[in-house]
């Protein structure tokens, strides 16, 4: 109980400061991020520095230990709901606020794995962790005719951004939308018949447990490599995933967040967007060899 006093006090203090900022007419932005993740900390620091003259920015960490305390979790959600905008960095903080906040606008940054259902609300906007430009610039040319995309409802804005990048890169796209788990086998099989490689977007329905095991098995059987959204999925046997630079994510996100605070919209950017090129492709060495890829440093980095 003693260990919870500090975090609980901090939640109450955040709530007080948010109410004070609202009364003063200053937008309150809460930056909510993984407590022990250096990349998230770096993104959060840049965003905070760029917003400090436009908003009352409060920084709050996410940790599994704190979230397991129901009192702390409840007070945290109550506090976040008083912000004009919650900026969530990374998968876990984003999943929590999208699932718990019913009315507060949320802008997420650097997300790889998130339920498409949670992204469908118009009050949700954000920036994914992977770059279509980097994928298309570095993948084998043989993949460019009929490159496959497998996704779930809610990922339509992401798919639109990928298709826009594909048009500029001269890549033709085949896509399948998986509305429920039972539809995955047929959708995946038909896409593998038409595509030389498939990008599986990051809904847990597709990239967790039995579903992704099935996709890896079919990938090996049909000799159709998978591009994944995250390190965890790449480690299971996908050939690689894209990871944008933290600085690029923070710069684009800051611009969109300032537009949100000013006008309530991220126009002219899409509601859910992809970061620019210039990041890394983290690859699975055995899978890359199996499918004949030739990774080229420094853009390609072997996943440890």
């Amino acid at each position: 109980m003693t260990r919870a006093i500090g975090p609980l006090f901090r939640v109450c203090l955040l709530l007080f400061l948010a109410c004070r900022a609202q009364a003063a007419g200053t937008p309150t932005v809460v930056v909510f991020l993984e407590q022990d993740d250096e990349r998230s900390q770096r993104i959060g620091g840049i965003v905070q520095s760029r917003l400090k003259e436009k908003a009352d920015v409060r920084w709050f960490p996410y940790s599994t230990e704190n979230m397991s305390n129901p009192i702390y979790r409840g007070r945290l959600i109550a506090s976040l709901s008083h912000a004009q905008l919650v900026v969530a960095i990374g998968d876990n903080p984003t999943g929590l606020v999208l699932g718990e906040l019913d009315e507060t606008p949320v802008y997420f940054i650097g997300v790889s794995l998130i339920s498409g259902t949670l992204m469908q609300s118009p009050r949700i906007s954000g920036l994914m962790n992977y770059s279509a430009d980097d994928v298309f610039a570095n993948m084998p040319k043989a993949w460019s005719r009929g490159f496959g995309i497998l996704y779930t409802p809610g990922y339509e804005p992401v798919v639109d951004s990928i298709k826009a990048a594909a048009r500029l890169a001269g890549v033709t796209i085949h896509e399948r939308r998986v509305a429920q788990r039972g539809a995955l086998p047929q959708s995946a099989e038909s896409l593998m018949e038409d595509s030389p490689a498939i990008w599986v977007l990051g809904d847990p329905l597709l990239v967790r447990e039995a579903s992704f095991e099935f996709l890896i098995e079919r990938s090996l059987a049909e000799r159709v490599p998978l591009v994944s959204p995250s390190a965890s999925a790449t480690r299971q046997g996908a050939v690689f995933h894209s990871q944008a630079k933290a600085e690029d994510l923070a710069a684009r996100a800051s611009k969109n967040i300032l537009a949100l605070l000013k006008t309530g919209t991220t126009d002219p950017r899409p509601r859910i967007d992809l970061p620019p090129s210039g990041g890394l492709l983290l690859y699975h060495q055995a899978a890359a060899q199996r499918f004949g890829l030739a990774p080229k440093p420094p853009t390609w980095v072997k996943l440890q």
Side-chain angles (χ1 to χ4, degrees):
M1 182 64 69
T2 303
R3 296 180 66 189
I5 292 177
L8 286 175
F9 173 78
R10 188 171 182 179
V11 171
C12 293
L13 178 62
L14 177 64
L15 177 58
F16 167 75
L17 292 170
C19 293
R20 187 180 69 177
Q22 281 186 312
T26 304
T28 303
V29 175
V30 176
V31 177
F32 187 46
L33 74 171
E34 291 278 4
Q35 179 170 290
D36 299 320
D37 182 67
E38 181 180 343
R39 177 178 167 83
S40 293
Q41 299 276 344
R42 188 160 69 253
I43 293 170
I46 296 172
V47 170
Q48 186 176 32
S49 67
R50 295 196 177 196
L51 298 183
K52 63 182 180 182
E53 296 182 0
K54 303 293 185 180
D56 182 31
V57 181
R58 300 296 162 183
W59 181 296
F60 212 81
Y62 171 104
S63 75
T64 303
E65 180 182 6
N66 287 343
M67 292 309 117
S68 65
N69 182 323
I71 298 176
Y72 176 87
R73 183 185 177 105
R75 289 183 181 273
L76 170 66
I77 297 303
S79 299
L80 294 177
S81 68
H82 285 78
Q84 274 70 44
L85 178 68
V86 173
V87 176
I89 304 176
D91 295 344
N92 290 327
T94 299
L96 178 68
V97 297
L98 296 194
E100 296 284 355
L101 297 179
D102 296 326
E103 298 179 359
T104 307
V106 174
Y107 188 93
F108 62 77
I109 307 173
V111 164
S112 298
L113 300 175
I114 196 74
S115 166
T117 301
L118 295 178
M119 296 196 296
Q120 293 181 352
S121 170
R123 67 180 175 83
I124 306 302
S125 52
L127 194 60
M128 306 304 290
N129 196 43
Y130 38 78
S131 166
D133 292 332
D134 283 341
V135 170
F136 295 146
N138 292 282
M139 72 184 190
K141 290 185 178 180
W143 293 9
S144 63
R145 296 186 60 82
F147 184 72
I149 304 175
L150 194 66
Y151 67 99
T152 59
Y155 272 83
E156 287 84 359
V158 181
V159 174
D160 289 344
S161 291
I162 292 174
K163 290 194 291 188
R167 286 191 291 271
L168 293 176
V171 176
T172 59
I173 296 292
H174 293 155
E175 60 184 273
R176 296 292 187 279
R177 181 175 179 269
V178 183
Q180 55 189 0
R181 192 179 301 275
L184 176 59
Q186 181 177 357
S187 298
E189 294 281 3
S190 65
L191 190 57
M192 287 182 180
E193 291 176 0
D194 298 334
S195 301
I198 295 174
W199 194 350
V200 185
L201 300 188
D203 194 309
L205 179 71
L206 302 181
V207 294
R208 290 269 174 88
E209 301 172 348
S211 294
F212 200 64
E213 290 177 6
F214 167 79
L215 290 175
I216 290 295
E217 290 174 1
R218 298 315 304 158
S219 166
L220 295 173
E222 302 296 334
R223 296 199 58 77
V224 176
L226 301 181
V227 176
S228 88
S230 68
S232 59
T234 299
R235 287 191 178 95
Q236 293 182 63
V239 288
F240 65 79
H241 66 279
S242 163
Q243 179 175 280
K245 286 183 179 178
E247 293 76 12
D248 291 341
L249 283 169
R252 178 166 289 185
S254 298
K255 180 180 178 181
N256 289 346
I257 291 165
L258 288 171
L260 269 175
L261 294 176
K262 183 177 181 180
T263 66
T265 175
T266 55
D267 184 70
R269 303 301 308 174
R271 182 173 65 86
I272 298 174
D273 199 10
L274 303 180
S277 62
L280 300 175
L281 295 185
L282 305 180
Y283 70 94
H284 185 296
Q285 185 174 26
Q289 292 175 345
R290 181 182 300 113
F291 289 104
L293 272 66
K296 298 177 182 178
T299 300
W300 293 74
V301 176
K302 185 171 68 173
L303 189 63
Q304 301 300 320

